[in-house]
Amino acid sequence: MESRVDVFARIRRDARVEGLSIRELARRHGVGRPTVRQALKQAEPPERKPRVRAAPRLEAFKTAIDGMLWEDLEAPRKQRHTARRIFARLAGEHGAKELSYSTVRDYVRKRRPEIDAEVGRIPEVFVPQEHAPGAEAEVDFGEVWVVLAGVKTKCHMFTFRLSNSGKAIHRVYPTQAQEAFLEGHIDAFEDIGGIPTRHIRYDNLTDAVVKVIYGTGRQRTENQRWVLFRSHYGFDAFYCQPGIKGAHEKGGVEGEVGRFRRTHLSPMPVVDSLAELNDQIRQWDIEDEDRRVGNRLRTVAQDFAVERSLLAPITAERFEPGLILTPRVNRSSLIRVRMASYSVPARVIGRPVRVFLRASEVVVFEGRTEIARHPRVVTQHGQSVNLDHYLEVLHHKPGALPGSTALAQARASGVFTSAHEAFWAAARKTDGDAGGTRALIDVLLLHRSMAAEDVIAGITAALTVGAVTADVVAVEARRHQTLHESISESLGGSGLGRHRGEQARGPERRVVSLTQRRLADPAAVIAGLPADRRPLPSVAAYDQLLRLPDRTEPATPNTMRTTISDAAQKGSAS
């Protein structure tokens, strides 16, 4: 459809080039004479007047609508009438069955600002702000859903954003409790390499604020642990207005939470652990430095390069973000922490232990000695059980191992490998269920003092020669460890990053099976040794000791001594 600008342009051209009259121009272009006169007067068509639709059916209900809007002046913000609610009330309480929703909506849209102006209510206006480099930051939590170990799980994303450059740090935790709040700050400070010099903006999180004191501006009663944390790192907190009124005061981080969630966490990430997800998030945070915020000409990385040098330095001593708890160990060698259970060594059963409950892990101490460390359990009533904590008990109760929770979790996590399974099966075939299980436990105890790959190499060597004992595994594991340490030293450290299987080339010394050597082809060379051609040992000479002496000759002590001596000499000769 031809626009009015085009019609005006052609009218003006025909009048200028051909000198046509107003009547002829109107006939040629199919418009009225007033339109031709307007076109000859100015090139830009005048704006069309908006069409005012008459709504005669609404007149009878305008008073009722105004009454509802006046009531909203005293109502809470989230409980004021919407146009749809007003339309429903008109139909239900005033019999307005013939009104359309659009008619009521248009009237409410026009009338509400007029009533606000009558009472002197000024609409909220946002004033643009400038943020000095290195001076301010904003913090917030946002909900995210993660497919964690095959289960759809609700988690919480901590977001820290520098107000000037827009550089942001994100971490996902199973909770938004204070330990996650503090740990997120520490990770952010360490990642950006400093601390804002003026303040960090927050809403009124319960992790920081115990009580909002209304009528006193921004005065708050703060959590004492939070005050200690701020004092340790040397920064101030700025608390936004409560509720939706204060959302714009940290709008940068509010928008950052949504941007990061839409960009990197849609669709839901599928991971085995939150540690794996946070490793990926660290990479995403670095990649996001190449983006531009809004209409800025410089990237986040370029602005952050300037801002980094203006941040305050971080204190050398790291603050412990975990809550300190003192649960007692039950008879199953478990402690109960925040609706989840964690195993500890069996020797501390019945005694209290000291626990650091962190956002992503649980660390257990006996006195000042760390005795257990677990990833934090996300699900309620879940368990994290370490097989190593039960080895001493299982050595006395080997029958409890096959059906134990500790073994099931060790298999699921990959700690209990196929090599362990093969050793256990071979040991049970040789020594029976109880004896074979004890041999396996002795092998598992080697993991406390040796690397897992060395122990597995020892297991493999022991299975190869058919000597399924913990002693053989230990000897071969130490041999494997020593061999590759010497290779690393000979390479001057250049081989430390290579796979151990690629470092060692050529024949490897191992335990020699005497049975295999005895039964092998004499011409074959096993383990670098010649075939054994010696005759089998015999005890026939010692059988003379079992014979009774001749009764015709009295046995004297000298005779008996001579007989025993002769038999011994023959036995040693054979």
Side-chain angles (χ1 to χ4, degrees):
M1 182 178 180
E2 194 175 27
S3 67
R4 298 186 68 204
V5 174
D6 294 332
V7 174
F8 272 43
R10 287 193 292 102
I11 291 174
R12 291 170 65 87
R13 180 185 178 282
D14 292 349
R16 183 179 69 254
V17 175
E18 302 181 25
L20 299 179
S21 65
I22 293 177
R23 177 183 295 179
E24 183 62 23
L25 290 171
R27 184 192 61 79
R28 175 179 290 187
H29 296 286
V31 296
R33 295 180 187 180
T35 302
V36 174
R37 292 188 180 96
Q38 284 181 345
L40 297 177
K41 184 178 180 180
Q42 61 185 35
E44 183 179 2
E47 294 184 2
R48 295 182 181 272
K49 294 182 179 180
R51 181 182 177 183
V52 179
R53 296 180 57 188
R57 296 176 181 174
L58 184 66
E59 293 295 330
F61 304 101
K62 285 184 177 180
T63 302
I65 296 174
D66 289 352
M68 298 178 195
L69 296 177
W70 280 95
E71 290 176 6
D72 285 347
L73 296 176
E74 303 297 330
R77 181 183 181 90
K78 293 186 178 181
Q79 292 180 252
R80 297 175 186 172
H81 286 86
T82 63
R84 190 169 296 279
R85 177 57 182 157
I86 291 175
F87 176 69
R89 288 189 63 185
L90 290 176
E93 301 175 12
H94 301 275
K97 302 294 185 180
E98 298 181 356
L99 278 180
S100 67
Y101 168 70
S102 60
T103 301
V104 176
R105 179 198 60 199
D106 293 342
Y107 180 77
V108 171
R109 182 181 298 165
K110 173 187 175 183
R111 186 62 179 141
R112 195 191 296 273
E114 293 176 351
I115 293 177
D116 288 342
E118 290 178 20
V119 298
R121 175 178 287 179
I122 301 175
E124 189 173 10
V125 179
F126 299 146
V127 180
Q129 299 289 304
E130 289 290 335
H131 304 284
E136 300 180 38
E138 304 166 10
V139 166
D140 199 10
F141 271 106
E143 292 183 358
V144 295
W145 288 87
V146 178
V147 180
L148 185 60
V151 179
K152 182 180 177 182
T153 307
K154 179 181 176 182
C155 299
H156 304 271
M157 182 173 69
F158 173 90
T159 303
F160 176 100
R161 181 183 183 273
L162 289 173
S163 302
N164 178 267
S165 65
K167 169 64 177 175
I169 303 298
H170 308 82
R171 294 291 185 272
V172 174
Y173 299 112
T175 175
Q176 59 177 347
Q178 190 181 67
E179 56 269 21
F181 186 59
L182 301 184
E183 188 171 318
H185 277 81
I186 296 172
D187 281 359
F189 293 158
E190 293 176 350
D191 277 10
I192 67 174
I195 301 173
T197 56
R198 185 181 178 189
H199 59 231
I200 302 177
R201 295 175 180 264
Y202 304 92
D203 54 20
N204 299 278
L205 295 167
T206 56
D207 303 316
V209 176
V210 175
K211 182 179 181 182
V212 177
I213 304 177
Y214 291 92
T216 59
R218 299 185 186 274
Q219 187 175 352
R220 305 288 189 270
T221 300
E222 294 181 298
N223 183 290
Q224 289 301 298
R225 184 167 173 79
W226 169 241
V227 173
L228 178 62
F229 179 83
R230 289 199 300 103
S231 177
H232 180 88
Y233 283 102
F235 67 92
D236 294 326
F238 178 94
Y239 297 108
C240 301
Q241 298 181 54
I244 196 171
K245 289 184 178 180
H248 68 279
E249 294 183 338
K250 57 179 183 64
V253 73
E254 295 274 359
E256 175 62 26
V257 171
R259 181 203 69 82
F260 191 88
R261 187 165 46 200
R262 291 188 300 270
T263 304
H264 298 296
L265 302 178
S266 298
M268 291 184 296
V270 180
V271 293
D272 293 329
S273 67
L274 291 183
E276 176 187 344
L277 176 60
N278 283 324
D279 287 340
Q280 181 62 59
I281 286 176
R282 289 183 179 92
Q283 183 61 36
W284 288 334
D285 285 342
I286 296 174
E287 294 173 358
D288 282 349
E289 292 183 6
D290 294 332
R291 68 186 183 91
R292 288 177 171 82
V293 178
N295 298 323
R296 297 183 186 180
L297 298 178
R298 294 161 57 89
T299 65
V300 172
Q302 291 170 333
D303 288 337
F304 179 57
V306 176
E307 190 168 25
R308 184 197 295 270
S309 62
L310 301 176
L311 297 169
I314 306 175
T315 181
E317 184 180 357
R318 198 174 194 269
F319 189 88
E320 172 52 57
L323 298 180
I324 300 177
L325 307 172
T326 55
R328 185 176 294 274
V329 183
N330 64 19
R331 294 182 61 184
S332 297
S333 196
L334 297 172
I335 56 173
R336 190 76 169 170
V337 178
R338 291 283 179 86
M339 304 294 289
S341 298
Y342 304 88
S343 68
V344 296
R347 68 174 184 274
V348 294
I349 288 178
R351 292 155 51 187
V353 292
R354 188 162 53 100
V355 174
F356 284 171
L357 176 63
R358 297 173 180 167
S360 53
E361 64 180 357
V362 175
V363 187
V364 186
F365 289 87
E366 180 187 15
R368 296 186 178 182
T369 304
E370 180 182 324
I371 59 174
R373 183 183 294 260
H374 296 269
R376 185 160 177 172
V377 176
V378 178
T379 57
Q380 288 190 0
H381 307 294
Q383 289 184 343
S384 178
V385 183
N386 189 339
L387 178 60
D388 182 74
H389 296 158
Y390 297 88
L391 294 181
E392 287 83 1
V393 176
L394 291 172
H395 203 280
H396 297 286
K397 296 182 176 181
L401 177 61
S404 64
T405 303
L407 179 60
Q409 292 195 8
R411 282 171 170 160
S413 64
V415 174
F416 197 83
T417 65
S418 58
H420 295 93
E421 297 278 9
F423 182 91
W424 192 14
R428 282 186 293 180
K429 184 180 293 186
T430 303
D431 301 327
D433 289 343
T437 301
R438 289 191 176 96
L440 170 68
I441 293 171
D442 289 335
V443 169
L444 294 175
L445 288 169
L446 295 175
H447 284 279
R448 295 183 179 179
S449 57
M450 307 183 72
E453 57 184 352
D454 293 329
V455 176
I456 293 174
I459 294 174
T460 304
L463 290 172
T464 302
V465 299
V468 282
T469 65
D471 292 337
V472 173
V473 173
V475 169
E476 283 299 296
R478 293 190 185 96
R479 189 190 304 277
H480 186 270
Q481 179 183 11
T482 303
L483 173 63
H484 292 94
E485 285 178 354
S486 62
I487 291 176
S488 298
E489 292 175 1
S490 64
L491 293 174
S494 61
L496 292 178
R498 298 167 55 193
H499 191 276
R500 289 190 169 185
E502 297 178 355
Q503 293 176 0
R505 300 295 184 187
E508 180 182 357
R509 297 180 62 191
R510 57 181 176 81
V511 171
V512 178
S513 171
L514 296 179
T515 303
Q516 181 183 5
R517 181 184 174 194
R518 170 68 62 185
L519 299 177
D521 183 0
V525 177
I526 301 175
L529 297 177
D532 188 0
R533 295 187 174 88
R534 292 177 299 175
L536 291 174
S538 173
V539 294
Y542 289 94
D543 291 342
Q544 298 179 18
L545 299 177
L546 302 178
R547 298 174 185 171
L548 294 176
D550 190 358
R551 297 190 179 185
T552 58
E553 298 181 3
T556 62
N558 291 334
T559 305
M560 295 179 62
R561 189 179 300 113
T562 302
T563 303
I564 295 174
S565 177
D566 292 343
Q569 289 178 3
K570 292 180 181 179
S572 60
S574 63

